[in-house]
Amino acid sequence: MISPPRVASERAQVAARGKDIEDREPMRLVTRIRFQLIGGLVFAVLVPGLARWPTTSLVPGSGMISLQSAMLGSMLALFLGYWALRQMIAYPGVQATQYIAPAFAISYSIIIVMFFFLRIEYSRYQFGASFIVAVVWFYACFFLARRALLQSFALVETGDTKGLKDLDAVDWFSLRKPVAPDRRMDGIVVDLRADLSDDWNRFLADSALKGVPVYHVKQMAEALTGKVEIEHLSENSLGSVLPSLLYLRLKRLVDLGLAVIVAPFFLVIVCLAAIAVKLDSKGPAFFLQPRMGFRGEPFKMIKLRTMKVGAQQSGGNFTEDNDPRITRIGRFLRKYRIDEFPQIVNIFAGQMSWIGPRPEALELSDWYQRDIPFYRYRHIVRPGLSGWAQVHQGNVAQVEQATHKLHYDFYYIKHFSPWLDALITAKTIWTVLTGFGSK
């Protein structure tokens, strides 16, 4: 019996989708948390321990106890490092492979320090081998997952979807009719505020019931760009208008503790840089400027001088690429962010944090506030030496650029957390060590 063309076509589509899923299933396995953790436990904890077990068991006593303790400790370090890594890679634009080694280096160090202070015997071999294997294992998992599983999203081009297809982090295709496509899709993106027909509403509801995620355009844009574009202060766009007050207080304690630890190092660098500034050009070594701070309170920010004396009067507040007002030593200090090291004084005073929105000059802040709605909202957290906007965009000089940068600030406030601060810190350290990405 010959099937009608429509039935045959539907069967072919189902078969094609089934084959697509079957072909991708081995690679999808790599992305599963259970597979990654079980593999990590086997290869990074059990294998090194069992490899050493026969020789250790021949000499009963402290050697066996230290190996068993280290196996338990390395298991805890593996879970802790993986959990921290998953928290950090949840943010847009983060390549997991760049943060695997730092995440596990920190987690294994924490467990080793804990064992040291608790006077628990442990095998250095087990910790060392486990750390190396864990880094290799998770690097392989995330590398294969990134190469093989580019997500595919259907875009309903109704309403405000402008510019979304330009974001190439995913595979986009247009969905022009409220009918399931003939290809795989990991979700449907639509402007849920648009005036959709009943057919579209039914189709989106049916898709959600079948397990296909339906995302609002702003939700997807935020996830792909790391920016929150708000038109009005509402819980729909920011979740809560106030960031976590508990973390705001805890962060202040962390800021002070870290400032105390790094102050001697910063003092040496700042003294040497100040001497270089004085030798390079006439004028003071330090530069004080009123900036807009926490909760809209102005403060005087201190920096190493990187421009010629009187440069601000001659060229205004904006700094351009290859600005002739910048001194020779100033270019070097700006490249590696050393000119901002004296701001540790502002951190001690509670005027700034290590991580937060950039404190703008009062003139620029007043200008942006007149032209950008809700600009003052960025002052709800302490300004910082570095921040989510700084590591993505750097300095800006126009209102349009400032608006884009403000969207990064809103994203930081919305996702205000220690994990986002840790990610920004890692990106900033990379900039300071390499000079790459700074402006």
Side-chain angles (χ1 to χ4, degrees):
M1 181 177 178
I2 300 176
S3 302
R6 181 177 178 180
V7 176
S9 175
E10 290 179 352
R11 288 178 178 175
Q13 293 171 10
V14 171
R17 285 197 293 269
K19 187 176 186 307
D20 180 53
I21 294 174
E22 182 180 349
D23 292 342
R24 292 168 55 84
E25 193 60 31
M27 295 310 302
R28 282 189 178 276
L29 187 64
V30 180
T31 67
R32 293 176 181 171
I33 295 176
R34 186 180 304 176
F35 174 82
Q36 294 174 356
L37 279 177
I38 292 177
L41 288 173
V42 171
F43 295 114
V45 178
L46 292 180
V47 171
L50 293 176
R52 193 66 178 269
W53 195 281
T55 57
T56 307
S57 61
L58 296 176
V59 186
S62 61
M64 178 61 71
I65 295 175
S66 65
L67 179 60
Q68 293 173 345
S69 300
M71 289 181 68
L72 178 60
S74 58
M75 182 177 66
L76 293 175
L78 184 84
F79 280 116
L80 178 61
Y82 184 74
W83 176 63
L85 180 63
R86 297 291 302 191
Q87 298 299 317
M88 294 177 67
I89 65 176
Y91 298 104
V94 177
Q95 299 293 340
T97 51
Q98 297 179 5
Y99 298 97
I100 291 173
F104 285 103
I106 293 173
S107 68
Y108 276 79
S109 298
I110 289 174
I111 299 300
I112 290 175
V113 170
M114 184 180 71
F115 274 32
F116 175 80
F117 282 106
L118 294 177
R119 299 182 180 276
I120 299 176
E121 296 184 15
Y122 64 90
S123 167
R124 296 178 182 176
Y125 155 80
Q126 173 66 22
F127 271 113
S130 178
F131 168 72
I132 294 173
V133 175
V135 170
V136 173
W137 167 255
F138 286 106
Y139 182 89
C141 288
F142 283 98
F143 179 78
L144 290 174
R146 186 182 66 183
R147 287 178 60 89
L149 299 178
L150 181 66
Q151 289 185 302
S152 180
F153 287 94
L155 179 62
V156 180
E157 298 186 59
T158 301
D160 185 13
T161 61
K162 183 180 179 182
L164 202 58
K165 271 192 172 182
D166 296 334
L167 305 176
D168 56 3
V170 298
D171 177 28
W172 296 103
F173 66 94
S174 297
L175 194 61
R176 304 186 185 281
K177 297 179 180 180
V179 179
D182 299 339
R183 52 178 294 180
R184 175 188 59 84
M185 61 177 175
D186 294 295
I188 301 174
V189 182
V190 59
D191 183 357
L192 296 176
R193 294 181 179 177
D195 186 14
L196 299 172
S197 67
D198 291 341
D199 288 340
W200 273 112
N201 284 320
R202 280 192 290 268
F203 169 73
L204 295 175
D206 290 340
S207 298
L209 290 174
K210 293 177 182 178
V212 179
V214 178
Y215 301 100
H216 181 46
V217 287
K218 285 197 172 184
Q219 181 184 8
M220 181 58 66
E222 175 184 332
L224 295 178
T225 64
K227 297 189 292 184
V228 173
E229 299 183 17
I230 68 170
E231 298 165 353
H232 48 82
L233 291 178
S234 69
E235 292 188 351
N236 291 333
S237 54
L238 285 168
S240 172
V241 176
L242 277 177
S244 170
L245 296 179
L246 176 61
Y247 181 55
L248 201 60
R249 297 188 183 97
L250 178 62
K251 186 178 180 182
R252 175 62 187 147
L253 296 178
V254 174
D255 286 338
L256 282 174
L258 185 58
V260 170
I261 294 173
V262 304
F265 170 76
F266 270 45
L267 182 61
V268 173
I269 298 297
V270 169
C271 287
L272 294 175
I275 295 173
V277 170
K278 291 290 292 183
L279 295 175
D280 183 56
S281 62
K282 295 180 179 179
F286 296 96
F287 174 70
L288 291 172
Q289 185 183 44
R291 296 289 179 104
M292 187 60 72
F294 183 44
R295 294 177 177 169
E297 294 293 331
F299 71 100
K300 287 189 177 181
M301 189 183 74
I302 181 172
K303 295 180 65 175
L304 284 163
R305 181 175 59 84
T306 58
M307 290 188 174
K308 301 171 184 177
V309 175
Q312 190 173 9
Q313 287 74 21
S314 62
N317 292 302
F318 297 138
T319 304
E320 301 176 354
D321 294 334
N322 301 317
D323 197 313
R325 298 175 297 167
I326 301 176
T327 63
R328 289 177 300 174
I329 190 65
R331 295 190 187 282
F332 176 82
L333 297 180
R334 282 172 172 261
K335 181 178 182 181
Y336 294 98
R337 305 280 179 89
I338 299 175
D339 61 316
E340 298 180 357
F341 281 18
Q343 292 167 35
I344 192 173
V345 174
N346 298 117
I347 294 176
F348 272 116
Q351 299 161 335
M352 291 184 63
S353 172
W354 291 102
I355 304 296
R358 178 182 174 84
E360 296 290 359
L362 296 184
E363 295 85 354
L364 290 180
S365 182
D366 291 339
W367 180 32
Y368 293 151
Q369 186 177 328
R370 288 193 300 269
D371 294 327
I372 302 175
F374 310 110
Y375 179 81
R376 281 178 59 82
Y377 182 66
R378 73 194 295 273
H379 306 316
I380 201 168
V381 295
R382 283 184 176 84
L385 269 73
S386 186
W388 188 244
Q390 291 93 304
V391 298
H392 279 85
Q393 191 170 359
N395 295 336
V396 298
Q398 303 298 329
V399 171
E400 183 179 355
Q401 294 175 326
T403 303
H404 289 302
K405 189 172 182 179
L406 184 62
H407 294 157
Y408 285 118
D409 290 335
F410 285 152
Y411 183 92
Y412 174 77
I413 294 169
K414 180 177 180 179
H415 298 277
F416 189 62
S417 69
W419 301 112
L420 185 54
D421 281 350
L423 177 62
I424 296 170
T425 301
K427 287 178 174 287
T428 303
I429 291 174
W430 173 256
T431 297
V432 171
L433 293 178
T434 64
F436 178 77
S438 60
K439 289 188 179 181

